[in-house]
């Protein structure tokens, strides 16, 4: 019989029909009952099944006591007369299940077990499998000796009218499954998870499970309520990103956010002789603090009260920074301090979560004019965004461990000030830039590291500017 050319969703394979298998094997000629491996890695297959149902069988090895012999199909190879295949742990296995007398019924599959055990999947005599790709974004960690515990210090790290960010203390060799009301909404190895697209003024029940390979898990529980929406009254609503600007005359003003990229009228916070400033919760009490460097290079921390006011300053010593930012860049749930010195060396001070910081880690030389740290591609890891002295804007995707991937050039940005924050409450970080002519522009974030075209906001005679929820 002549060879058949089968085309399905862009791939081409040549298949030669064969005589029916012997008794007990496949009762339909090739290509049925086969597994075709178009991926770059091996595929494990089995020639029998261990159940009378089609339910997948969990496990990275074929269960003891089950009939059938597992074998491997090399890249480009064919496993003939099989009953199932393994989508393995730590990987995403994608391809097609083919059926129909003319091979016209194509069912795509993608089994994502990045944070899971492997599963064996069954197919029948009138079907065959084409495995197109196997990607393994996460390696299975080595065993750890310390006993698994439920997530410790589970807390609300941040919340708005439509987001709740949970935090907990990380344990080595562990990943975390997050459930809202019994439905799994995410999996992470880090110490933070932001749940978005929620209803305002609504209470949600969360379960966070600490898990290890073999799917041994222990759970902690928490209920959290989103803030009220922006409303239409005359008073600002808590929970939105606010704008804080230091004017050229050193007066500090707070513009409460409405959550729709606009702001209420300014509140005067007094005189502030700051050279640099940022707002971030550095003592893990759920309230944004104000951190500032004075013109004499002394660093001060003003603990936040959660109502846009602050307690008296704590002197943190001298900091010869020309740029400064506070963000959790190693995914431990504690805000870190990142400072660019006058000699253009960039240093990271891991936060202890109590308003103090560990010793500096040198991150190398950085010829930055401006910089900020924010998750702009919605992967839960803080990225570094910087403008060079030649006004080119670069994005360094975060790895979640205090380091970053190579830079992506985002074009030219003639900003004298910039910040990244979700100011329209869609769960995506936006870019806000103040140009040299003091025009303020908002670039809505797409959540993938890019931004929509600019929206003109207003004239702002700021010499320092940041966006944060301070009250």
């Amino acid at each position: 019989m002549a060879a058949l050319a089968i085309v399905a969703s862009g791939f081409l394979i040549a298949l030669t029909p064969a005589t029916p298998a012997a008794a007990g094997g496949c009762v339909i000629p090739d290509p049925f009952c086969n597994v075709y491996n178009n991926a770059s890695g091996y595929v494990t297959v089995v020639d029998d099944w261990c159940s009378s149902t089609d339910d997948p069988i969990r496990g990275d090895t074929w269960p003891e006591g089950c009939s059938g012999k597992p074998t491997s199909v090399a890249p480009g190879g064919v496993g003939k007369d099989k009953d199932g295949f393994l989508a393995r742990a730590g990987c995403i296995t994608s391809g097609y299940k083919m059926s129909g007398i003319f091979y016209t019924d194509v069912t795509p599959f993608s089994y994502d077990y990045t944070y899971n055990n492997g599963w064996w999947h069954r197919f029948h005599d009138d079907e065959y499998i084409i495995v197109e790709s196997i990607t393994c974004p996460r390696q299975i960690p080595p065993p750890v000796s310390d006993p698994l515990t439920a997530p410790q210090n589970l807390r609300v790290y941040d919340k708005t009218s439509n987001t709740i960010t949970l935090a907990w203390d990380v344990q080595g060799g562990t990943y975390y499954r997050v459930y809202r009301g019994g439905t799994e909404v995410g999996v992470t190895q880090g110490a933070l998870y932001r749940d978005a697209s929620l209803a305002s003024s609504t209470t949600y029940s969360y379960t966070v499970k600490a898990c290890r390979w073999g799917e041994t898990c222990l759970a902690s529980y928490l209920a959290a309520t989103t803030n009220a929406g922006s409303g239409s009254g005359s008073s600002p609503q808590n929970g939105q990103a606010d704008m804080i600007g230091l004017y050229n005359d050193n007066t500090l003003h707070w513009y409460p956010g409405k959550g729709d990229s606009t702001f209420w009228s300014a509140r005067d916070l007094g005189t502030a002789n700051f050279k640099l400033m940022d707002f971030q919760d550095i003592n893990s009490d759920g309230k944004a603090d104000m951190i500032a460097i004075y013109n004499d290079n002394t660093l001060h921390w003003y603990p936040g009260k959660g109502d846009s006011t602050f307690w008296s300053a704590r002197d943190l010593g001298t900091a010869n920074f020309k740029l400064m930012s506070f963000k959790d860049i190693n995914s431990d749930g504690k805000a870190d301090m990142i400072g660019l010195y006058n000699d253009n060396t960039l240093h990271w001070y891991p936060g202890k979560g109590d308003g103090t910081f560990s010793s500096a880690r040198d991150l190398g030389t950085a010829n930055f004019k401006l910089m900020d740290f924010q998750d702009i591609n919605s992967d839960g890891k803080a990225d570094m965004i910087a403008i060079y002295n030649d006004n080119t804007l670069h994005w360094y995707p975060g790895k979640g461990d205090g380091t970053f991937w190579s830079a992506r050039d985002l074009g030219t940005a003639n900003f004298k000030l910039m910040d990244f924050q979700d100011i329209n409450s869609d769960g995506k970080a936006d870019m806000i830039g103040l140009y040299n002519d003091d025009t303020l522009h908002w670039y809505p974030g797409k959540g993938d590291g890019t931004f929509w075209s600019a929206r003109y906001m207003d004239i702002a005679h700021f010499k320092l500017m940041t966006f944060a929820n301070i009250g």
Side-chain angles (χ1 to χ4, degrees), residues 163-166 192-196 374-375 378 422 427-429:
T163 66
I164 291 174
T165 302
L166 304 178
L192 291 173
Y193 182 81
R194 184 174 65 172
D195 194 17
Q374 185 64 261
D375 175 19
S378 307
D422 176 19
K428 302 169 185 175

Side-chain angles (χ1 to χ4, degrees), residues 141-145:
V144 291
S145 58

Side-chain angles (χ1 to χ4, degrees), residues 52-334:
S52 61
T53 72
D54 291 346
D55 294 339
I57 298 174
R58 184 170 137 194
D60 299 307
T61 58
W62 189 240
E64 290 187 17
C66 288
S67 58
K69 179 182 178 182
T71 56
S72 293
V73 180
V78 181
K80 291 181 174 289
D81 191 11
K82 303 303 177 184
D83 289 273
F85 67 98
L86 174 65
R88 65 178 186 257
C91 303
I92 303 169
T93 302
S94 301
Y96 304 89
K97 180 186 287 187
M98 311 289 292
S99 61
I101 189 170
F102 296 111
Y103 321 113
T104 54
D105 296 336
V106 181
T107 304
F109 63 81
S110 183
Y111 300 119
D112 186 351
Y113 299 142
T114 305
Y115 292 94
N116 223 326
N117 293 97
W119 289 78
W120 298 84
H121 293 270
R122 187 180 191 180
F123 60 100
H124 293 279
D125 283 3
D126 59 347
E127 300 170 332
Y128 64 95
I129 299 297
I130 299 173
V131 176
E132 279 291 288
S133 66
I134 303 172
T135 57
C136 302
R138 176 175 183 263
Q139 298 297 316
I140 299 175
V144 291
S145 58
D146 58 312
L148 178 67
T149 62
Q152 301 296 299
N153 195 23
L154 178 61
R155 59 197 184 275
V156 176
Y157 181 77
D158 188 29
K159 60 178 181 174
T160 69
S161 63
N162 65 352
T163 66
I164 291 174
T165 302
L166 304 178
W168 53 86
D169 296 340
V170 164
Q171 187 179 16
T174 305
Y175 58 96
Y176 299 88
R177 296 187 179 278
V178 182
Y179 299 81
R180 182 196 334 119
T183 300
E184 184 174 300
V185 292
V187 187
T188 179
Q189 285 180 271
L192 291 173
Y193 182 81
R194 184 174 65 172
D195 194 17
S197 300
L198 305 177
S200 63
S201 303
T202 302
T203 300
Y204 294 91
S205 297
Y206 289 96
T207 301
V208 179
K209 293 182 178 180
C211 302
R212 287 186 177 157
W213 290 97
E215 201 65 2
T216 300
C217 300
L218 293 173
S220 293
Y221 307 90
L222 180 71
T225 303
T226 51
N227 294 324
S230 58
S232 58
S234 59
S235 299
Q237 300 293 325
N238 189 18
Q240 320 300 340
D242 308 319
M243 178 170 63
I244 307 100
L246 182 66
Y247 279 86
N248 293 322
D249 63 359
N250 289 326
T251 57
L252 186 64
H253 288 78
W254 163 49
Y255 297 79
K258 297 182 181 181
D260 60 359
S261 79
T262 64
F263 301 86
W264 299 99
S265 299
R267 276 69 166 167
D268 190 336
L269 298 183
T271 300
N273 294 304
F274 297 161
K275 184 176 80 170
L276 298 172
M277 71 176 184
D278 199 8
F279 292 80
Q280 187 66 253
D281 176 18
I282 66 171
N283 63 339
S284 306
D285 65 352
K287 302 169 185 175
D289 309 314
M290 179 169 62
I291 312 99
I293 294 181
Y294 280 78
N295 291 321
D296 63 358
N297 291 324
T298 55
L299 179 66
H300 290 79
W301 163 43
Y302 297 78
K305 297 181 180 180
D307 60 358
S308 79
T309 64
F310 301 87
W311 298 106
S312 299
R314 275 73 163 170
D315 190 336
L316 299 183
T318 300
N320 294 305
F321 299 156
K322 69 176 183 180
L323 296 175
M324 171 184 76
S325 188
F326 291 80
K327 190 72 177 178
D328 176 18
I329 66 170
N330 63 338
S331 305
D332 66 351
K334 301 168 185 175

Side-chain angles (χ1 to χ4, degrees), residues 2-26:
L4 296 175
I6 309 299
V7 179
S9 297
F11 60 85
L12 177 67
I13 59 174
L15 307 172
T16 303
T19 57
C26 190

